[in-house]
Amino acid sequence: MDQIWALEAIYKVFDRRSIFYEEMRSQLNGKCTVHTLFKDFDKTDTTYTIEEKWMFLKFMHSCGLCFPLKANPSDPDTLYTYYVFPEFLTSTKPLLVRSWFRSQRVIVFQKQFEFLPYYPLHTFISKFGTKTTYDCFWRSGILIYTDVEELEGFCIEADFEKHTLTLTLDESIASEWYEAIVSSIIVHGDKQNAEWQLISGKMQNHESPFEDTMPKSTSDLENLPDVAQKVPPPIHRKKKIVISYAKEDIGALKMLEIYFKGYSNEFDYWSDQNQDNKSGWKETIKYEFEHADGYILLISPHYMMVDKKIIHEKEIPTILKRQKEKSVPVINLFVGAFTLTSSHDVSVFNSFNKGEVMPAEESKAQDFINRFMRDEILRKFI
């Protein structure tokens, strides 16, 4: 991979003027799905394929810019996987971390730097963030348990104004883990090359020949098990309606979208016409259909043709499953005359005004859509 080309792509979304940067700072608090990140790549002035976007993400991960947050550590990455970007995390130390400090007997070390940039700590958080839960890290620090049951662990915290790193260890693990931890924190250009200073506490001297006091290595730190993560709480958002249609009915879709745009403060909507970048469209369609809050099916003879494989083999089965499992509302909107029978899967969905067909005449079609918006969307969907 051309690293310069990849870096240019990454800097476009990390630019302080970018939509992604603003969203991560003000709304997402440093955590977003792969899908959100990929959509922001689409908002740049360059078109990237889905494969290129995955390469960019892996490159960002390898550079210490981010790391995945998974309920099951062994799960593969998908468009639904959350990624954490330490640069955008909250600056407030989490309550769980503050509680740990109060409950443990600890030893504290500190190192002074001539200048301490953000990247050493953020790289450390990205490398070891999977070893702890998302309520144990923040923009300037991370708490990692070496023994979850005993709540034994250590905390690394930076003060970027004073240019110091502080290492706080549980007293019982300090002699074993100290070297491994400080060896894992690399600050390039550290001209002072100062030593870590003991600020408080006392290192234990284990004299028992039966106790394993061999110091841990950096590989021991890296081999700590990944933990099952809690998925971040959902961010308040508007409901999203997904529209399923046949390309021959694009005119009806466009007319419907005109009305939808007038209610942009009430709800969002999506059809594959909203996708600027056509690469990776199958994954995007799958994601949107699996996460919709409601569906509108534009029923017509074209829509019901059996050779519409995406509609009948992908979209409708997903809608049926979502309605059964989540009671997601679905409405058939007839944009062409067609008689549904019990053999048609979509016959189980409610039809607007008992299957009334959108008139061809524009003024009558506008009245039809206005009634649909009033009686179905605003009263039942929103």
Side-chain angles (χ1 to χ4, degrees):
M1 179 175 64
D2 184 342
Q3 290 193 358
I4 295 178
W5 167 71
L7 285 170
E8 288 177 348
I10 292 167
Y11 281 132
K12 285 179 181 178
V13 294
F14 273 84
D15 188 289
R16 291 177 180 271
R17 297 163 296 180
S18 71
I19 295 173
F20 177 76
Y21 190 94
E22 176 59 29
E23 287 179 342
M24 291 295 279
R25 275 281 191 224
S26 62
Q27 301 176 37
L28 303 179
N29 296 321
K31 309 177 189 74
C32 73
T33 62
V34 173
H35 179 258
T36 297
L37 175 63
F38 284 6
K39 283 178 66 177
D40 283 304
F41 273 117
D42 289 338
K43 294 172 185 175
T44 66
D45 57 2
T46 306
T47 299
Y48 302 106
T49 66
I50 190 71
E51 292 79 13
E52 289 170 341
K53 294 174 194 174
W54 279 113
M55 281 196 298
F56 297 154
L57 179 57
K58 293 183 186 301
F59 187 55
M60 286 190 282
H61 187 192
S62 68
C63 291
L65 295 176
C66 59
F67 64 95
L69 202 63
K70 298 181 181 181
N72 185 347
S74 63
D75 286 345
D77 278 1
T78 70
L79 285 172
Y80 329 131
T81 302
Y82 271 92
Y83 265 75
V84 175
F85 294 78
E87 177 181 352
F88 302 107
L89 288 171
T90 177
S91 59
T92 304
K93 186 183 296 184
L95 177 61
L96 186 63
V97 179
R98 298 200 299 270
S99 299
W100 179 81
F101 273 92
R102 290 194 294 267
S103 63
Q104 302 299 104
R105 295 181 62 182
V106 297
I107 298 176
V108 182
F109 295 87
Q110 193 172 84
K111 186 171 183 177
Q112 179 72 53
F113 296 86
E114 183 177 352
F115 173 72
L116 179 63
Y118 287 96
Y119 77 83
L121 180 65
H122 290 171
T123 300
F124 187 91
I125 294 174
S126 292
K127 185 173 183 179
F128 297 105
T130 57
K131 314 297 182 185
T132 190
T133 55
Y134 83 95
D135 47 5
C136 286
F137 45 73
W138 67 109
R139 193 184 309 165
S140 55
I142 183 171
L143 168 65
I144 297 175
Y145 293 117
T146 55
D147 188 325
V148 177
E149 292 185 0
E150 298 296 330
L151 297 182
E152 295 175 347
F154 65 91
C155 179
I156 291 283
E157 184 173 5
D159 186 325
F160 295 109
E161 292 184 357
K162 296 181 179 179
H163 303 290
T164 59
L165 277 177
T166 301
L167 168 61
T168 305
L169 303 96
D170 188 281
E171 188 179 76
S172 61
I173 70 162
S175 60
E176 289 181 283
W177 285 97
Y178 170 78
E179 288 293 340
I181 297 166
V182 298
S183 299
S184 299
I185 303 171
I186 301 172
V187 181
H188 297 293
D190 178 17
K191 296 179 180 178
Q192 287 184 325
N193 197 25
E195 296 295 326
W196 287 83
Q197 301 296 319
L198 180 63
I199 302 300
S200 66
K202 184 178 180 181
M203 295 283 276
Q204 292 181 356
N205 291 317
H206 297 286
E207 298 178 354
S208 170
F210 303 103
E211 188 168 3
D212 179 14
T213 59
M214 289 292 292
K216 301 292 185 180
S217 66
T218 54
S219 61
D220 290 318
L221 188 59
E222 293 169 358
N223 289 330
L224 285 173
D226 289 345
V227 301
Q229 303 283 355
K230 299 175 184 176
V231 176
I235 298 167
H236 177 71
R237 62 177 179 82
K238 293 177 287 185
K239 289 185 177 180
K240 179 181 284 188
I241 298 172
V242 165
I243 307 169
S244 177
Y245 72 102
K247 64 180 181 180
E248 292 86 354
D249 300 318
I250 189 71
L253 173 67
K254 294 293 186 184
M255 186 173 291
L256 186 62
E257 287 182 335
I258 290 173
Y259 279 77
F260 276 15
K261 289 175 182 177
Y263 294 92
S264 59
N265 291 330
E266 305 291 333
F267 62 89
D268 288 326
Y269 70 92
W270 185 90
S271 73
D272 63 8
Q273 292 295 307
N274 297 91
Q275 189 175 349
D276 297 327
N277 187 350
K278 298 304 179 184
S279 65
W281 61 275
K282 288 185 179 179
E283 277 195 87
T284 302
I285 288 175
K286 183 176 185 293
Y287 179 89
E288 296 293 351
F289 272 80
E290 289 182 348
H291 291 78
D293 299 297
Y295 304 91
I296 298 172
L297 281 54
L298 302 190
I299 304 295
S300 72
H302 299 297
Y303 187 85
M304 298 307 300
M305 290 172 63
V306 294
D307 63 349
K308 301 288 187 182
K309 293 188 179 297
I310 294 295
I311 291 174
H312 296 287
E313 296 180 9
K314 302 293 184 182
E315 296 180 3
I316 292 176
T318 300
I319 295 171
L320 287 164
K321 181 180 178 182
R322 292 271 292 157
Q323 189 192 50
K324 181 179 179 180
E325 295 179 353
K326 302 291 185 180
S327 299
V328 176
V330 185
I331 188 73
N332 293 328
L333 182 65
F334 282 76
V335 297
F338 189 87
T339 302
L340 292 179
T341 69
S342 58
S343 65
H344 296 113
D345 289 342
V346 299
S347 65
V348 299
F349 305 136
N350 291 328
S351 296
F352 171 60
N353 206 21
K354 299 180 180 180
E356 179 185 355
V357 180
M358 180 188 291
E361 186 179 332
E362 185 174 350
S363 61
K364 292 182 179 179
Q366 290 175 348
D367 175 68
F368 173 87
I369 295 176
N370 193 48
R371 287 186 288 113
F372 172 71
M373 294 295 299
R374 180 193 64 204
D375 298 341
E376 295 292 339
I377 303 301
L378 299 180
R379 290 181 180 175
K380 298 179 182 179
F381 273 63
I382 308 305

